[in-house]
């Protein structure tokens, strides 16, 4: 494993930590963008070019912008007086630490049996398109319907209610 | 030292997942909870891609397809979640989850 993996991993983890820990919500959204970019770079390191660029387009281009819009629309950038963490933060932190220790223990236990470095798979966008139109055409259509329904639903949920319409 | 590259990617994914879980469980702001959920989804995607890359049949593209569909579903989830947060904010005038404790409007 090269030095690039360690640098990108450190970037991703620091971005994630900042997204969760910072006080100002807008700063959290910007740190989240760094974490998404780090994950996209990890995808590119794993020779998954299409997934990496889809990650950049969808997450950095759409989801991060959506999060910033939601923060600004809800005045979420005002820091509350009684702290940004919930009253039960200790229990949440303990659960997260327990989950990480179980996952890490499982990975380290299984590490000797995990497959070693293999030849990089050569998957072109052409092949991905063929697969999406052939073997995966039904899931593709279902995802298209799901996205349409979800976006129409989101607009209806967030649309301003008329006074007296209740 | 980590034995194989796959173990390294899996450890990074586990760390990002734990960070996202901690954020979703400890933050008061509803939008920050959604950010934590997004981080967890991304960690799962990283696992899928890593197993695809080091699996026995990467030319079948199963793991990568799973990750691509997962990205699409996560985008839908983010749109609906943020729409719900905006709707709740309009109703309750806050996004603080400790104060939103009634189901009756």
């Amino acid at each position: 494993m090269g030095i690039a993996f360690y640098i990108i991993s450190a970037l991703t983890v620091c971005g994630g930590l900042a997204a969760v820990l910072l006080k100002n919500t807008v700063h959290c959204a910007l740190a989240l963008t760094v974490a998404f970019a780090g994950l996209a770079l990890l995808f590119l390191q794993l020779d998954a070019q299409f997934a990496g660029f889809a990650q950049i387009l969808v997450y950095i281009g759409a989801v991060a912008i959506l999060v910033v819009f939601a923060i600004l629309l809800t005045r979420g950038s005002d820091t509350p007086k009684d702290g940004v963490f919930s009253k039960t933060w200790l229990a949440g932190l303990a659960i997260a630490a327990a989950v990480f220790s179980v996952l890490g223990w499982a990975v380290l236990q299984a590490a000797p049996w995990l497959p070693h470095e293999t030849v990089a798979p050569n998957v072109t966008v052409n092949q991905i398109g063929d697969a999406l139109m052939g073997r995966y055409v039904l899931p593709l259509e279902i995802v298209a319907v799901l996205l349409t329904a979800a976006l129409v639903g989101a607009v209806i949920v967030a649309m301003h209610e008329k006074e007296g319409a209740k | 030292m980590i034995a194989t590259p796959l173990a390294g990617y899996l450890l990074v994914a586990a760390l990002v997942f734990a960070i996202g879980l901690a954020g979703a469980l400890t933050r008061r702001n509803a939008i920050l909870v959604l950010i934590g959920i997004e981080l967890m989804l991304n960690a799962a995607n990283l696992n899928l891609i890593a197993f695809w890359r080091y699996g026995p049949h990467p030319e079948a593209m199963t793991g990568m397809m799973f990750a691509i569909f997962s990205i699409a579903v996560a985008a839908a989830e983010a749109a609906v979640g943020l729409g719900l947060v905006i709707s709740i904010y309009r109703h309750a005038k806050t996004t603080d989850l400790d104060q939103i404790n009634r189901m009756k409007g």
Side-chain angles (χ1 to χ4, degrees):
Chain A
M1 268 197 298
I3 190 86
F5 169 76
Y6 292 102
I7 294 173
I8 297 169
S9 304
L11 184 79
T12 309
V13 171
C14 290
L17 274 176
V20 165
L21 292 176
L22 285 178
K23 277 196 163 49
N24 189 319
T25 322
V26 177
H27 296 172
C28 290
L30 295 178
L32 181 73
T33 314
V34 174
F36 284 160
L39 281 159
L41 290 175
L42 283 176
F43 287 2
L44 293 178
Q45 279 269 304
L46 284 164
D47 299 305
Q49 281 89 358
F50 186 75
F53 288 119
Q55 164 91 2
I56 292 176
L57 280 176
V58 173
Y59 276 100
I60 302 174
V63 172
I65 302 296
L66 212 58
V67 167
V68 171
F69 266 115
I71 289 168
L72 296 179
L73 281 173
T74 58
R75 264 185 276 154
S77 51
D78 306 344
T79 311
K81 283 180 279 303
D82 41 358
V84 291
F85 292 105
S86 148
K87 277 174 286 209
T88 54
W89 65 272
L90 201 59
L93 199 64
I95 290 169
V99 167
F100 176 65
S101 37
V102 169
L103 286 175
W105 175 80
V107 170
L108 289 180
Q109 288 292 306
W113 292 277
L114 289 176
H116 281 274
E117 188 81 55
T118 50
V119 231
N122 187 18
V123 174
T124 60
V125 180
N126 200 341
Q127 284 170 292
I128 293 171
D130 277 345
L132 277 176
M133 280 295 124
R135 191 175 167 201
Y136 298 100
V137 70
L138 189 62
L140 183 76
E141 297 298 328
I142 292 173
V143 160
V145 173
L146 172 83
L147 269 176
T148 314
L151 293 181
V152 171
V155 168
I156 288 176
V157 163
M159 204 159 55
H160 195 64
E161 294 173 28
K162 287 195 193 74
E163 289 301 319
K166 286 172 199 166
Chain B
M1 205 59 198
I2 302 164
T4 58
L6 179 56
Y9 285 105
L10 295 183
L11 278 178
V12 171
L15 197 51
V16 174
F17 185 89
I19 292 170
L21 184 63
L25 289 177
T26 59
R27 293 299 293 239
R28 299 165 72 104
N29 192 321
I31 295 170
L32 267 297
V33 174
L34 276 174
I35 286 180
I37 292 170
E38 292 294 330
L39 279 176
M40 288 196 277
L41 276 166
N42 266 293
N45 281 346
L46 181 58
N47 266 356
L48 293 173
I49 300 258
F51 276 117
W52 163 76
R53 170 68 174 78
Y54 293 106
H57 297 293
E59 70 280 355
M61 294 191 282
T62 322
M64 194 163 63
M65 285 301 167
F66 214 114
I68 290 168
F69 285 118
S70 163
I71 288 174
V73 173
E77 172 263 329
V80 174
L82 293 169
L84 284 172
V85 169
I86 290 173
S87 175
I88 289 174
Y89 173 77
R90 194 174 291 137
H91 207 82
K93 299 283 173 263
T94 178
T95 54
D96 187 341
L97 292 173
D98 284 356
Q99 288 175 30
I100 302 169
N101 49 15
R102 293 190 308 166
M103 290 189 81
K104 197 176 169 214

